[in-house]
mmCIF file of all heavy atoms in Angstrom:
data_model
loop_
_atom_site.group_PDB
_atom_site.id
_atom_site.type_symbol
_atom_site.label_atom_id
_atom_site.label_comp_id
_atom_site.label_asym_id
_atom_site.label_seq_id
_atom_site.Cartn_x
_atom_site.Cartn_y
_atom_site.Cartn_z
ATOM 1 N N MET A 41 -67.122 66.376 100.525
ATOM 2 C CA MET A 41 -65.890 66.335 99.749
ATOM 3 C C MET A 41 -65.634 65.122 99.020
ATOM 4 O O MET A 41 -65.133 65.118 97.908
ATOM 5 C CB MET A 41 -64.682 66.642 100.634
ATOM 6 C CG MET A 41 -64.353 68.071 100.986
ATOM 7 S SD MET A 41 -64.626 69.291 99.678
ATOM 8 C CE MET A 41 -63.256 69.262 98.808
ATOM 9 N N PRO A 465 -60.585 72.529 95.376
ATOM 10 C CA PRO A 465 -59.380 73.223 94.898
ATOM 11 C C PRO A 465 -58.258 72.258 94.331
ATOM 12 O O PRO A 465 -58.174 71.200 94.838
ATOM 13 C CB PRO A 465 -58.915 74.018 96.080
ATOM 14 C CG PRO A 465 -59.659 73.497 97.202
ATOM 15 C CD PRO A 465 -60.714 72.694 96.794
ATOM 16 N N ILE A 491 -56.469 71.881 114.132
ATOM 17 C CA ILE A 491 -56.208 72.419 112.724
ATOM 18 C C ILE A 491 -57.596 72.909 112.024
ATOM 19 O O ILE A 491 -57.627 74.039 111.560
ATOM 20 C CB ILE A 491 -55.610 71.354 111.833
ATOM 21 C CG1 ILE A 491 -54.304 70.663 112.559
ATOM 22 C CG2 ILE A 491 -55.117 71.935 110.499
ATOM 23 C CD1 ILE A 491 -53.703 69.489 111.835
ATOM 24 N N ILE A 492 -58.582 72.026 112.074
ATOM 25 C CA ILE A 492 -59.848 72.510 111.655
ATOM 26 C C ILE A 492 -60.925 72.058 112.672
ATOM 27 O O ILE A 492 -61.365 70.885 112.648
ATOM 28 C CB ILE A 492 -60.256 71.888 110.203
ATOM 29 C CG1 ILE A 492 -59.244 72.470 109.102
ATOM 30 C CG2 ILE A 492 -61.653 72.200 109.893
ATOM 31 C CD1 ILE A 492 -59.492 73.901 108.712
ATOM 32 N N PRO A 493 -61.324 72.907 113.635
ATOM 33 C CA PRO A 493 -62.181 72.613 114.579
ATOM 34 C C PRO A 493 -63.525 72.114 114.010
ATOM 35 O O PRO A 493 -63.883 72.415 112.837
ATOM 36 C CB PRO A 493 -62.504 73.831 115.403
ATOM 37 C CG PRO A 493 -61.195 74.730 115.082
ATOM 38 C CD PRO A 493 -60.870 74.342 113.670
ATOM 39 N N ILE A 498 -68.490 76.259 112.411
ATOM 40 C CA ILE A 498 -67.434 75.977 111.378
ATOM 41 C C ILE A 498 -67.793 74.777 110.456
ATOM 42 O O ILE A 498 -67.517 74.782 109.275
ATOM 43 C CB ILE A 498 -66.062 75.629 112.216
ATOM 44 C CG1 ILE A 498 -65.752 76.827 113.026
ATOM 45 C CG2 ILE A 498 -64.921 75.322 111.168
ATOM 46 C CD1 ILE A 498 -64.494 76.629 113.826
ATOM 47 N N TYR A 501 -69.242 74.762 106.883
ATOM 48 C CA TYR A 501 -68.381 75.103 105.708
ATOM 49 C C TYR A 501 -67.621 73.911 105.144
ATOM 50 O O TYR A 501 -66.648 74.257 104.410
ATOM 51 C CB TYR A 501 -67.536 76.312 105.969
ATOM 52 C CG TYR A 501 -68.315 77.502 106.300
ATOM 53 C CD1 TYR A 501 -68.101 78.261 107.587
ATOM 54 C CD2 TYR A 501 -69.131 78.160 105.433
ATOM 55 C CE1 TYR A 501 -68.831 79.437 107.848
ATOM 56 C CE2 TYR A 501 -69.930 79.255 105.617
ATOM 57 C CZ TYR A 501 -69.688 79.897 106.825
ATOM 58 O OH TYR A 501 -70.467 80.968 107.214
ATOM 59 N N ARG A 502 -67.901 72.765 105.591
ATOM 60 C CA ARG A 502 -67.013 71.628 105.145
ATOM 61 C C ARG A 502 -67.081 71.433 103.665
ATOM 62 O O ARG A 502 -66.212 70.827 103.090
ATOM 63 C CB ARG A 502 -67.546 70.323 105.836
ATOM 64 C CG ARG A 502 -66.996 70.209 107.276
ATOM 65 C CD ARG A 502 -65.586 69.838 107.359
ATOM 66 N NE ARG A 502 -65.181 69.666 108.681
ATOM 67 C CZ ARG A 502 -65.078 68.455 109.331
ATOM 68 N NH1 ARG A 502 -65.374 67.390 108.736
ATOM 69 N NH2 ARG A 502 -64.562 68.470 110.577
ATOM 70 N N ASN A 504 -67.270 74.065 101.635
ATOM 71 C CA ASN A 504 -66.909 75.392 101.080
ATOM 72 C C ASN A 504 -65.459 75.711 101.570
ATOM 73 O O ASN A 504 -65.290 76.405 102.659
ATOM 74 C CB ASN A 504 -67.983 76.448 101.585
ATOM 75 C CG ASN A 504 -67.742 77.726 100.938
ATOM 76 O OD1 ASN A 504 -66.640 78.053 100.601
ATOM 77 N ND2 ASN A 504 -68.711 78.585 101.005
ATOM 78 N N ILE A 505 -64.542 75.210 100.868
ATOM 79 C CA ILE A 505 -63.112 75.363 101.360
ATOM 80 C C ILE A 505 -62.680 76.746 101.479
ATOM 81 O O ILE A 505 -61.948 77.128 102.427
ATOM 82 C CB ILE A 505 -62.154 74.635 100.507
ATOM 83 C CG1 ILE A 505 -62.506 73.091 100.400
ATOM 84 C CG2 ILE A 505 -60.746 74.719 100.872
ATOM 85 C CD1 ILE A 505 -62.614 72.483 101.832
ATOM 86 N N GLU A 506 -63.122 77.678 100.633
ATOM 87 C CA GLU A 506 -62.683 79.040 100.672
ATOM 88 C C GLU A 506 -63.149 79.740 102.035
ATOM 89 O O GLU A 506 -62.289 80.283 102.653
ATOM 90 C CB GLU A 506 -63.442 79.828 99.620
ATOM 91 C CG GLU A 506 -62.926 81.218 99.444
ATOM 92 C CD GLU A 506 -63.755 82.050 98.335
ATOM 93 O OE1 GLU A 506 -64.575 81.336 97.619
ATOM 94 O OE2 GLU A 506 -63.771 83.211 98.412
ATOM 95 N N LYS A 507 -64.310 79.354 102.531
ATOM 96 C CA LYS A 507 -64.850 79.891 103.795
ATOM 97 C C LYS A 507 -64.108 79.120 104.932
ATOM 98 O O LYS A 507 -63.594 79.677 105.974
ATOM 99 C CB LYS A 507 -66.280 79.695 103.937
ATOM 100 C CG LYS A 507 -67.043 80.614 103.305
ATOM 101 C CD LYS A 507 -67.273 81.835 104.201
ATOM 102 C CE LYS A 507 -68.441 82.758 103.717
ATOM 103 N NZ LYS A 507 -68.454 83.898 104.462
ATOM 104 N N LEU A 508 -64.056 77.817 104.775
ATOM 105 C CA LEU A 508 -63.581 76.932 105.930
ATOM 106 C C LEU A 508 -62.081 77.298 106.209
ATOM 107 O O LEU A 508 -61.721 77.315 107.332
ATOM 108 C CB LEU A 508 -63.691 75.468 105.558
ATOM 109 C CG LEU A 508 -63.270 74.457 106.693
ATOM 110 C CD1 LEU A 508 -64.354 74.562 107.730
ATOM 111 C CD2 LEU A 508 -63.194 73.093 106.089
ATOM 112 N N SER A 509 -61.335 77.677 105.235
ATOM 113 C CA SER A 509 -59.911 77.987 105.431
ATOM 114 C C SER A 509 -59.596 79.062 106.292
ATOM 115 O O SER A 509 -58.503 79.216 106.958
ATOM 116 C CB SER A 509 -59.150 77.956 104.038
ATOM 117 O OG SER A 509 -59.635 79.042 103.358
ATOM 118 N N ASP A 510 -60.651 80.071 106.457
ATOM 119 C CA ASP A 510 -60.487 81.121 107.370
ATOM 120 C C ASP A 510 -60.378 80.622 108.913
ATOM 121 O O ASP A 510 -59.835 81.380 109.686
ATOM 122 C CB ASP A 510 -61.688 82.055 107.278
ATOM 123 C CG ASP A 510 -61.776 82.852 106.077
ATOM 124 O OD1 ASP A 510 -60.653 82.962 105.415
ATOM 125 O OD2 ASP A 510 -62.804 83.345 105.741
ATOM 126 N N PHE A 511 -60.741 79.433 109.170
ATOM 127 C CA PHE A 511 -60.663 78.876 110.495
ATOM 128 C C PHE A 511 -59.567 78.073 110.717
ATOM 129 O O PHE A 511 -59.274 77.537 111.865
ATOM 130 C CB PHE A 511 -61.985 78.089 110.826
ATOM 131 C CG PHE A 511 -63.218 78.941 110.717
ATOM 132 C CD1 PHE A 511 -63.901 78.921 109.548
ATOM 133 C CD2 PHE A 511 -63.703 79.679 111.770
ATOM 134 C CE1 PHE A 511 -65.182 79.758 109.565
ATOM 135 C CE2 PHE A 511 -64.825 80.400 111.701
ATOM 136 C CZ PHE A 511 -65.595 80.504 110.524
ATOM 137 N N THR A 512 -58.656 77.916 109.790
ATOM 138 C CA THR A 512 -57.546 76.960 109.889
ATOM 139 C C THR A 512 -56.566 77.342 111.030
ATOM 140 O O THR A 512 -56.249 78.505 111.273
ATOM 141 C CB THR A 512 -56.534 77.081 108.554
ATOM 142 O OG1 THR A 512 -57.533 76.891 107.473
ATOM 143 C CG2 THR A 512 -55.604 75.949 108.591
ATOM 144 N N LEU A 513 -56.352 76.394 111.969
ATOM 145 C CA LEU A 513 -55.531 76.504 113.138
ATOM 146 C C LEU A 513 -55.904 77.725 114.018
ATOM 147 O O LEU A 513 -55.208 78.224 114.886
ATOM 148 C CB LEU A 513 -54.080 76.620 112.753
ATOM 149 C CG LEU A 513 -53.492 75.293 112.317
ATOM 150 C CD1 LEU A 513 -52.285 75.364 111.450
ATOM 151 C CD2 LEU A 513 -53.094 74.528 113.533
ATOM 152 N N PHE A 520 -53.689 83.188 112.399
ATOM 153 C CA PHE A 520 -52.890 82.245 111.409
ATOM 154 C C PHE A 520 -53.393 82.360 109.970
ATOM 155 O O PHE A 520 -52.551 82.587 109.087
ATOM 156 C CB PHE A 520 -52.955 80.811 111.912
ATOM 157 C CG PHE A 520 -52.344 79.975 110.900
ATOM 158 C CD1 PHE A 520 -50.955 79.811 110.740
ATOM 159 C CD2 PHE A 520 -53.136 79.237 109.972
ATOM 160 C CE1 PHE A 520 -50.425 79.100 109.712
ATOM 161 C CE2 PHE A 520 -52.529 78.448 108.875
ATOM 162 C CZ PHE A 520 -51.143 78.480 108.815
ATOM 163 N N SER A 521 -54.637 82.255 109.763
ATOM 164 C CA SER A 521 -55.058 82.270 108.324
ATOM 165 C C SER A 521 -54.739 83.453 107.533
ATOM 166 O O SER A 521 -54.397 83.474 106.440
ATOM 167 C CB SER A 521 -56.557 81.838 108.206
ATOM 168 O OG SER A 521 -57.386 82.871 108.349
ATOM 169 N N ALA A 524 -51.120 83.446 106.890
ATOM 170 C CA ALA A 524 -50.802 82.506 105.734
ATOM 171 C C ALA A 524 -51.196 83.168 104.432
ATOM 172 O O ALA A 524 -50.404 83.150 103.506
ATOM 173 C CB ALA A 524 -51.518 81.259 105.973
ATOM 174 N N LYS A 525 -52.264 83.893 104.341
ATOM 175 C CA LYS A 525 -52.781 84.483 103.215
ATOM 176 C C LYS A 525 -51.773 85.545 102.652
ATOM 177 O O LYS A 525 -51.518 85.822 101.569
ATOM 178 C CB LYS A 525 -54.215 85.075 103.367
ATOM 179 C CG LYS A 525 -55.292 84.137 103.330
ATOM 180 C CD LYS A 525 -56.595 84.721 103.347
ATOM 181 C CE LYS A 525 -57.687 83.718 103.566
ATOM 182 N NZ LYS A 525 -58.927 84.297 104.032
ATOM 183 N N LEU A 532 -45.486 74.702 108.251
ATOM 184 C CA LEU A 532 -45.857 74.483 109.623
ATOM 185 C C LEU A 532 -44.917 73.749 110.367
ATOM 186 O O LEU A 532 -44.248 72.897 109.787
ATOM 187 C CB LEU A 532 -47.227 73.755 109.598
ATOM 188 C CG LEU A 532 -48.478 74.416 108.951
ATOM 189 C CD1 LEU A 532 -49.677 73.537 108.876
ATOM 190 C CD2 LEU A 532 -48.898 75.695 109.779
ATOM 191 N N ARG A 544 -60.432 63.864 109.027
ATOM 192 C CA ARG A 544 -60.973 65.024 108.171
ATOM 193 C C ARG A 544 -59.833 65.571 107.250
ATOM 194 O O ARG A 544 -58.745 66.100 107.707
ATOM 195 C CB ARG A 544 -61.506 66.097 108.965
ATOM 196 C CG ARG A 544 -60.516 66.877 109.967
ATOM 197 C CD ARG A 544 -61.396 67.730 110.930
ATOM 198 N NE ARG A 544 -62.077 66.830 111.935
ATOM 199 C CZ ARG A 544 -62.226 67.159 113.170
ATOM 200 N NH1 ARG A 544 -61.951 68.396 113.658
ATOM 201 N NH2 ARG A 544 -62.870 66.425 113.962
ATOM 202 N N GLU A 545 -60.031 65.434 105.952
ATOM 203 C CA GLU A 545 -58.873 65.775 104.967
ATOM 204 C C GLU A 545 -58.869 67.307 104.918
ATOM 205 O O GLU A 545 -57.927 67.886 104.430
ATOM 206 C CB GLU A 545 -59.125 65.214 103.693
ATOM 207 C CG GLU A 545 -60.432 65.591 102.893
ATOM 208 C CD GLU A 545 -60.770 64.776 101.718
ATOM 209 O OE1 GLU A 545 -59.919 64.072 101.247
ATOM 210 O OE2 GLU A 545 -61.958 64.934 101.232
ATOM 211 N N HIS A 546 -59.898 67.947 105.389
ATOM 212 C CA HIS A 546 -59.899 69.451 105.450
ATOM 213 C C HIS A 546 -58.615 69.974 106.245
ATOM 214 O O HIS A 546 -58.254 71.107 105.968
ATOM 215 C CB HIS A 546 -61.112 69.970 106.085
ATOM 216 C CG HIS A 546 -62.383 69.431 105.394
ATOM 217 N ND1 HIS A 546 -62.823 68.194 105.662
ATOM 218 C CD2 HIS A 546 -63.252 69.911 104.583
ATOM 219 C CE1 HIS A 546 -63.963 67.907 105.025
ATOM 220 N NE2 HIS A 546 -64.170 68.958 104.314
ATOM 221 N N ALA A 547 -58.129 69.129 107.129
ATOM 222 C CA ALA A 547 -56.923 69.673 107.912
ATOM 223 C C ALA A 547 -55.634 69.623 107.008
ATOM 224 O O ALA A 547 -54.718 70.301 107.390
ATOM 225 C CB ALA A 547 -56.660 68.729 109.120
ATOM 226 N N ALA A 548 -55.705 69.138 105.893
ATOM 227 C CA ALA A 548 -54.617 69.223 104.872
ATOM 228 C C ALA A 548 -55.073 70.103 103.638
ATOM 229 O O ALA A 548 -54.346 71.038 103.220
ATOM 230 C CB ALA A 548 -54.237 67.870 104.358
ATOM 231 N N LEU A 549 -56.297 70.013 103.333
ATOM 232 C CA LEU A 549 -56.903 70.804 102.174
ATOM 233 C C LEU A 549 -56.916 72.317 102.498
ATOM 234 O O LEU A 549 -56.406 72.955 101.657
ATOM 235 C CB LEU A 549 -58.287 70.274 102.049
ATOM 236 C CG LEU A 549 -59.071 70.689 100.774
ATOM 237 C CD1 LEU A 549 -58.346 70.602 99.496
ATOM 238 C CD2 LEU A 549 -60.358 69.743 100.640
ATOM 239 N N CYS A 550 -57.250 72.676 103.777
ATOM 240 C CA CYS A 550 -57.320 74.136 104.030
ATOM 241 C C CYS A 550 -55.826 74.640 104.004
ATOM 242 O O CYS A 550 -55.686 75.707 103.410
ATOM 243 C CB CYS A 550 -58.067 74.479 105.263
ATOM 244 S SG CYS A 550 -59.879 74.133 104.957
ATOM 245 N N PRO A 551 -54.957 74.071 104.808
ATOM 246 C CA PRO A 551 -53.575 74.705 104.621
ATOM 247 C C PRO A 551 -53.091 74.729 103.353
ATOM 248 O O PRO A 551 -52.415 75.713 102.887
ATOM 249 C CB PRO A 551 -52.794 73.637 105.496
ATOM 250 C CG PRO A 551 -53.690 73.075 106.406
ATOM 251 C CD PRO A 551 -54.958 73.041 105.754
ATOM 252 N N MET A 552 -53.346 73.787 102.454
ATOM 253 C CA MET A 552 -52.986 73.825 100.968
ATOM 254 C C MET A 552 -53.582 74.997 100.295
ATOM 255 O O MET A 552 -52.963 75.704 99.604
ATOM 256 C CB MET A 552 -53.459 72.480 100.338
ATOM 257 C CG MET A 552 -53.114 72.361 98.882
ATOM 258 S SD MET A 552 -54.362 73.027 97.814
ATOM 259 C CE MET A 552 -55.191 71.561 97.258
ATOM 260 N N TYR A 553 -54.973 75.166 100.614
ATOM 261 C CA TYR A 553 -55.657 76.282 99.936
ATOM 262 C C TYR A 553 -55.009 77.615 100.397
ATOM 263 O O TYR A 553 -54.902 78.605 99.604
ATOM 264 C CB TYR A 553 -57.089 76.312 100.427
ATOM 265 C CG TYR A 553 -57.946 77.323 99.779
ATOM 266 C CD1 TYR A 553 -58.445 77.180 98.488
ATOM 267 C CD2 TYR A 553 -58.190 78.456 100.508
ATOM 268 C CE1 TYR A 553 -59.116 78.152 97.881
ATOM 269 C CE2 TYR A 553 -59.050 79.419 99.923
ATOM 270 C CZ TYR A 553 -59.462 79.374 98.552
ATOM 271 O OH TYR A 553 -60.171 80.250 97.994
ATOM 272 N N LEU A 554 -54.423 77.694 101.575
ATOM 273 C CA LEU A 554 -53.808 78.973 102.113
ATOM 274 C C LEU A 554 -52.392 79.042 101.588
ATOM 275 O O LEU A 554 -51.673 79.996 101.974
ATOM 276 C CB LEU A 554 -53.869 78.935 103.621
ATOM 277 C CG LEU A 554 -55.205 79.080 104.375
ATOM 278 C CD1 LEU A 554 -55.124 78.961 105.807
ATOM 279 C CD2 LEU A 554 -55.861 80.400 103.984
ATOM 280 N N GLY A 555 -51.876 78.130 100.859
ATOM 281 C CA GLY A 555 -50.634 78.222 100.341
ATOM 282 C C GLY A 555 -49.464 77.671 101.056
ATOM 283 O O GLY A 555 -48.268 77.709 100.634
ATOM 284 N N ILE A 556 -49.762 76.882 102.235
ATOM 285 C CA ILE A 556 -48.741 76.210 102.855
ATOM 286 C C ILE A 556 -48.155 75.109 101.953
ATOM 287 O O ILE A 556 -48.812 74.327 101.285
ATOM 288 C CB ILE A 556 -49.312 75.470 104.178
ATOM 289 C CG1 ILE A 556 -50.052 76.522 105.055
ATOM 290 C CG2 ILE A 556 -48.338 74.686 104.975
ATOM 291 C CD1 ILE A 556 -49.151 77.576 105.665
ATOM 292 N N HIS A 568 -53.518 61.543 108.661
ATOM 293 C CA HIS A 568 -53.169 62.942 108.335
ATOM 294 C C HIS A 568 -51.963 62.981 107.405
ATOM 295 O O HIS A 568 -52.023 63.736 106.527
ATOM 296 C CB HIS A 568 -52.961 63.732 109.554
ATOM 297 C CG HIS A 568 -52.817 65.201 109.249
ATOM 298 N ND1 HIS A 568 -53.762 65.929 108.624
ATOM 299 C CD2 HIS A 568 -51.691 66.081 109.340
ATOM 300 C CE1 HIS A 568 -53.298 67.151 108.371
ATOM 301 N NE2 HIS A 568 -52.070 67.292 108.791
ATOM 302 N N ASN A 571 -53.221 62.259 104.161
ATOM 303 C CA ASN A 571 -53.974 63.503 103.596
ATOM 304 C C ASN A 571 -53.019 64.544 103.122
ATOM 305 O O ASN A 571 -53.352 65.226 102.113
ATOM 306 C CB ASN A 571 -54.902 63.991 104.663
ATOM 307 C CG ASN A 571 -56.189 63.134 104.859
ATOM 308 O OD1 ASN A 571 -56.586 62.375 103.881
ATOM 309 N ND2 ASN A 571 -56.747 63.129 105.993
ATOM 310 N N LEU A 572 -51.854 64.736 103.804
ATOM 311 C CA LEU A 572 -50.966 65.738 103.442
ATOM 312 C C LEU A 572 -50.359 65.376 101.904
ATOM 313 O O LEU A 572 -50.377 66.166 101.073
ATOM 314 C CB LEU A 572 -49.720 65.828 104.315
ATOM 315 C CG LEU A 572 -50.082 66.529 105.676
ATOM 316 C CD1 LEU A 572 -48.869 66.372 106.598
ATOM 317 C CD2 LEU A 572 -50.460 67.992 105.526
ATOM 318 N N PHE A 575 -52.895 66.113 99.133
ATOM 319 C CA PHE A 575 -53.199 67.470 98.742
ATOM 320 C C PHE A 575 -51.873 68.164 98.528
ATOM 321 O O PHE A 575 -51.804 69.382 98.444
ATOM 322 C CB PHE A 575 -54.094 68.109 99.806
ATOM 323 C CG PHE A 575 -55.372 67.581 99.743
ATOM 324 C CD1 PHE A 575 -55.786 66.700 100.812
ATOM 325 C CD2 PHE A 575 -56.323 67.821 98.786
ATOM 326 C CE1 PHE A 575 -57.011 66.051 100.730
ATOM 327 C CE2 PHE A 575 -57.457 67.236 98.712
ATOM 328 C CZ PHE A 575 -57.894 66.365 99.661
ATOM 329 N N LEU A 577 -48.916 68.452 100.045
ATOM 330 C CA LEU A 577 -48.087 69.188 100.998
ATOM 331 C C LEU A 577 -46.915 68.225 101.390
ATOM 332 O O LEU A 577 -47.158 67.091 101.676
ATOM 333 C CB LEU A 577 -48.824 69.481 102.284
ATOM 334 C CG LEU A 577 -49.570 70.910 102.210
ATOM 335 C CD1 LEU A 577 -50.842 70.784 101.395
ATOM 336 C CD2 LEU A 577 -49.800 71.337 103.656
#
Side-chain angles (χ1 to χ4, degrees):
M41 282 318 284
I491 310 173
I492 294 291
I498 303 178
Y501 295 122
R502 283 286 182 94
N504 184 338
I505 300 304
E506 189 186 340
K507 279 277 197 187
L508 187 68
S509 59
D510 285 342
F511 299 94
T512 311
L513 284 158
F520 173 78
S521 84
K525 281 183 192 165
L532 296 172
R544 67 192 72 146
E545 61 190 349
H546 306 77
L549 188 45
C550 290
M552 178 272 256
Y553 184 79
L554 293 174
I556 303 296
H568 187 61
N571 286 335
L572 290 173
F575 294 101
L577 273 78

